[in-house]
């Protein structure tokens, strides 16, 4: 009888801990502020449509790439710190790959 009561209390405690953890994680995600990432946008732009593998699933991502190239020809954060040059390089390469995959933005790729 004592074992059963202890086991029941342990299960109740475990359930309460799980609920607390679940609530803390939920609150963490509610506070997340996402910034636009040209690197991520480029990779999403490369996903082909299930209806037509010759068309992008998310054409709006391609449009974003075409509209958001920086003046120096790169993609990335506009006012980036010089230490983030590798980020800009990787973002730019990802954007070029996405544009090349769909055969658009030749002028952007050449810039």
């Amino acid at each position: 009888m004592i074992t059963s009561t202890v086991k029941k209390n342990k299960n109740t405690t475990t359930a309460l801990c799980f609920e607390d953890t679940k609530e803390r994680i939920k609150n963490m995600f509610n506070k997340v502020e996402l910034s636009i990432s040209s690197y991520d946008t480029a990779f999403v732009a490369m996903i082909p449509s299930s209806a037509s593998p010759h068309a992008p699933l998310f054409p709006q991502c391609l449009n974003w790439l075409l509209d958001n190239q920086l003046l120096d020809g790169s993609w990335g954060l506009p006012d980036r710190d010089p230490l983030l040059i590798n980020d800009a390089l990787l973002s730019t390469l990802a954007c070029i790959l996405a544009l090349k995959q769909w055969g658009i933005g030749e002028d952007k790729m050449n810039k």
Side-chain angles (χ1 to χ4, degrees), residues 3-65:
T3 306
S4 143
T5 306
V6 170
K7 190 174 186 180
K8 189 174 183 182
N9 287 340
K10 185 177 180 183
N11 288 340
T12 304
T13 303
T14 303
L16 289 174
C17 288
F18 176 74
E19 286 301 315
D20 288 344
T21 303
K22 187 173 139 182
E23 192 61 34
R24 272 189 295 127
I25 292 170
K26 183 179 176 185
N27 288 334
M28 285 171 34
F29 281 107
N30 287 338
K31 295 177 186 176
V32 172
E33 291 183 27
L34 298 176
S35 62
I36 295 174
S37 164
S38 53
Y39 182 84
D40 294 338
T41 303
F43 274 92
V44 172
M46 287 189 254
I47 300 171
S49 170
S50 57
S52 172
H54 302 292
L57 182 60
F58 301 105
Q60 64 273 31
C61 290
L62 279 175
N63 292 334
W64 187 92
L65 296 178

